[in-house]
């Protein structure tokens, strides 16, 4: 290919040094039989090509291969190859990060036991929404999942912060006051996001369609867990006292409870 008769045809594909020796060259090959509609087939083809390159003697003990193949489609194939591990890694790092932040900034150590399980549940639920909508995990869906943890945690953090700052006596009273004071604000925030992405319904682009499904799932799941499930869990398992209550009011409430219990008639059951 380097002789003078073929020079014009291949001179752009052959690189020589000053002495005229060939130091690099390239050629075109055709990969046939790759089903571009099958992610698994594309991943298998990418791994097979890499295996062929790695087996070349010139590449042994080299970090940067001297013999390799390249195509722009490889970026997508490599993404499909690593996306499962990346989704799991992003989920773990994101959940740990928001759990640590909740431990640091919410004024009670028990908050982390609500944030970590619920944000994990929301992440899995959002994956289920994408699957239910028959959407595959591509680059756009991956970016949506990457952002989702930071957006979903807002619905939880606002409710938790208000619960632990409430001066009401008892976990059930705190949950009721939380919904009464900040529940409407969280709901309005969710509705505004919902309305903001609703015009994407009229888009014909698959990219915007994936974003629409991701954000609709994010808003509905986040609002549902933050305004329904979380208050119920806090009313059942949240701390009765968070250290911000008025001690005099606590004493009065406890005294009233004792009086009510003492006024109730003793119930006896006759098994005869």
């Amino acid at each position: 290919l380097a002789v003078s008769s073929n020079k014009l045809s291949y001179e752009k594909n052959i690189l020589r040094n000053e002495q005229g020796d060939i130091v690099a060259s390239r050629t075109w090959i055709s990969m046939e039989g790759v089903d571009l509609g099958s992610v698994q087939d594309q991943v298998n083809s990418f791994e097979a090509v890499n295996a062929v390159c790695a087996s070349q003697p010139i590449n042994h003990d080299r970090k940067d291969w001297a013999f390799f193949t390249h195509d722009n489609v490889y970026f997508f194939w490599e993404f499909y190859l690593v996306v499962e591990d990346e989704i799991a890694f992003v989920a773990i790092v994101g959940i740990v990060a928001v759990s640590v932040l909740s431990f640091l900034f919410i004024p009670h150590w028990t908050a982390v036991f609500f944030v970590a399980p619920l944000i994990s549940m929301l992440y899995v639920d959002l994956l289920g929404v994408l699957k239910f909508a028959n959407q595959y995990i591509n680059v756009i869906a991956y970016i949506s999942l990457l952002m989702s943890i930071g957006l979903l945690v807002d619905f939880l953090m606002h409710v938790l912060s208000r619960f632990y700052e409430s001066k009401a006596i008892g976990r059930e009273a705190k949950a009721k006051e939380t919904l009464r004071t900040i529940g409407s604000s969280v709901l309005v925030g969710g509705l505004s996001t919902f309305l903001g992405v609703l015009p994407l319904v009229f888009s014909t682009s698959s990219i915007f369609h994936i974003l629409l499904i991701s954000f609709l799932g994010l808003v509905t799941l986040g609002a549902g867990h933050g305004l329904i499930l979380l208050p119920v869990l806090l009313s059942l398992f949240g701390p009765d006292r968070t250290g911000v209550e008025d001690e005099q009011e606590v004493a009065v409430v406890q005294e009233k409870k004792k009086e009510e219990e003492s006024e109730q008639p003793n119930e006896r059951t006759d098994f005869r």
Side-chain angles (χ1 to χ4, degrees):
L1 299 179
V3 297
S4 58
S5 60
N6 294 319
K7 185 175 181 181
L8 294 177
S9 300
Y10 295 99
E11 64 177 346
K12 293 183 178 180
N13 300 311
I14 297 176
L15 180 65
R16 299 172 181 271
N17 59 16
E18 295 179 354
Q19 289 74 32
D21 299 325
I22 297 176
V23 295
S25 63
R26 67 180 180 180
T27 187
W28 297 94
I29 61 173
S30 176
M31 293 184 63
E32 298 179 353
V34 181
D35 184 4
L36 297 180
S38 170
V39 171
Q40 189 59 53
D41 199 35
Q42 295 175 64
V43 170
N44 292 339
S45 300
F46 183 70
E47 290 179 329
V49 168
N50 283 339
V52 170
C53 295
S55 65
Q56 302 303 311
I58 195 174
N59 288 338
H60 290 172
D61 301 324
R62 293 189 59 160
K63 183 178 180 181
D64 296 325
W65 286 351
F67 179 91
F68 60 92
T69 63
H70 174 74
D71 193 279
N72 290 333
V73 75
Y74 283 7
F75 294 116
F76 299 99
W77 291 5
E78 186 174 11
F79 170 79
Y80 296 143
L81 178 64
V82 303
V83 66
E84 293 182 2
D85 295 333
E86 287 295 318
I87 287 177
F89 176 76
V90 167
I92 293 172
V93 172
I95 292 168
V96 170
V98 297
S99 299
V100 170
L101 290 175
S102 67
F103 182 79
L104 294 176
F105 293 105
I106 294 181
H108 202 276
W109 59 273
T110 58
V112 68
F113 295 106
F114 293 98
V115 172
L118 284 176
I119 201 67
S120 303
M121 188 186 305
L122 283 166
Y123 192 79
V124 174
D125 288 346
L126 189 56
L127 285 171
V129 168
L130 292 174
K131 180 63 177 178
F132 182 77
N134 199 28
Q135 296 296 321
Y136 296 100
I137 304 298
N138 53 23
V139 176
I140 305 302
Y142 173 74
I143 293 174
S144 300
L145 289 169
L146 182 65
M147 299 186 301
S148 66
I149 294 180
L151 297 173
L152 288 169
V153 76
D154 282 347
F155 294 97
L156 306 179
M157 287 294 195
H158 290 305
V159 175
L160 282 169
S161 296
R162 186 67 191 92
F163 178 87
Y164 287 109
E165 292 171 355
S166 173
K167 295 183 179 181
I169 311 302
R171 61 174 69 94
E172 186 174 344
K174 288 179 180 293
K176 290 179 179 179
E177 184 180 343
T178 298
L179 288 177
R180 185 172 62 253
T181 54
I182 203 173
S184 59
S185 299
V186 175
L187 181 61
V188 169
L191 288 175
S192 63
T193 305
F194 182 88
L195 294 175
V197 299
L198 203 57
L200 294 178
V201 171
F202 304 102
S203 175
T204 58
S205 171
S206 60
I207 294 176
F208 293 121
H209 186 63
I210 294 173
L211 288 175
L212 172 67
I213 293 173
S214 300
F215 274 88
L216 290 182
L218 187 151
V219 171
T220 53
L221 291 172
H225 285 66
L227 295 176
I228 300 175
L229 180 60
L230 180 56
V232 172
L233 293 177
L234 288 171
S235 67
L236 295 174
F237 307 109
D240 273 327
R241 299 181 62 181
T242 57
V244 298
E245 298 86 359
D246 190 330
E247 294 298 330
Q248 292 182 352
E249 292 184 4
V250 172
V252 170
V253 171
Q254 290 177 347
E255 187 64 28
K256 286 183 179 180
K257 286 184 178 181
K258 289 181 181 179
E259 292 177 358
E260 292 175 356
E261 291 174 358
S262 61
E263 291 176 358
Q264 292 179 355
N266 295 326
E267 297 182 357
R268 296 182 180 179
T269 304
D270 190 355
F271 294 97
R272 292 181 298 174

